[in-house]
Amino acid sequence: MNTTEKKVIEFFGTFGTDKDWKSLLANELNFTSPIDKVSGKDKFIELDIQFRQLVQKASVKWMITKGEHASALVSYDMALPTGDSLNITFSEIIKLDDNKITSIEVFFDTAKFYEFLSKMKKE
């Protein structure tokens, strides 16, 4: 397993745990998804904390790497406080520089994700 694979697997292995994940991120991190786009480590952390509250586990199904670039298919097991659950697969393109994640670009079924989120009780 190469260094890029190790870092990507380490990052996704922190979902659903209390393991440190913030130290894996570069300060100049850029994140893009169908529903959000942020620049900077602090803004990504703020966004990812919200997402991580829903995730029980993330599993890398497969990954292709070339140098410090990775393309991974990631399966997320998610749950809402209502008891509703979802397994959804994301395609993620990750770039590293000096073993720090500098870019994450995510693709997923937004209709399926929004349907899941709509089950959250509004207070």
Side-chain angles (χ1 to χ4, degrees):
M1 185 180 303
N2 66 43
T3 303
T4 300
E5 278 182 281
K6 287 178 187 174
K7 288 295 178 182
V8 170
I9 288 173
E10 181 181 355
F11 176 72
F12 289 112
T14 65
F15 281 86
T17 74
D18 60 356
K19 293 179 185 174
D20 175 51
W21 54 278
K22 297 172 187 172
S23 66
L24 300 170
L25 309 174
N27 289 329
E28 298 80 28
L29 185 140
N30 291 305
F31 173 82
T32 305
S33 80
I35 58 175
D36 249 316
K37 184 175 182 175
V38 296
S39 293
K41 180 177 180 176
D42 292 339
K43 290 188 184 211
F44 174 75
I45 288 171
E46 184 179 312
L47 181 68
D48 209 40
I49 285 173
Q50 293 173 19
F51 179 70
R52 285 172 177 267
Q53 290 174 1
L54 302 173
V55 178
Q56 295 177 318
K57 181 181 177 186
S59 305
V60 177
K61 290 181 169 187
W62 60 260
M63 181 178 0
I64 299 169
T65 62
K66 184 173 182 180
E68 291 189 306
H69 295 78
S71 177
L73 204 60
V74 182
S75 174
Y76 288 98
D77 292 328
M78 307 178 83
L80 295 173
T82 60
D84 292 289
S85 63
L86 173 70
N87 177 271
I88 188 168
T89 301
F90 284 26
S91 176
E92 309 214 13
I93 299 170
I94 300 128
K95 295 178 186 173
L96 288 85
D97 187 22
D98 290 331
N99 294 320
K100 298 280 186 182
I101 297 171
T102 58
S103 175
I104 302 172
E105 190 171 0
V106 181
F107 305 90
F108 59 92
D109 183 341
T110 55
K112 186 175 180 180
F113 187 68
Y114 281 134
E115 180 183 345
F116 172 67
L117 291 181
S118 72
K119 297 176 182 178
M120 200 176 321
K121 290 184 180 176
K122 308 248 185 221
E123 294 182 22

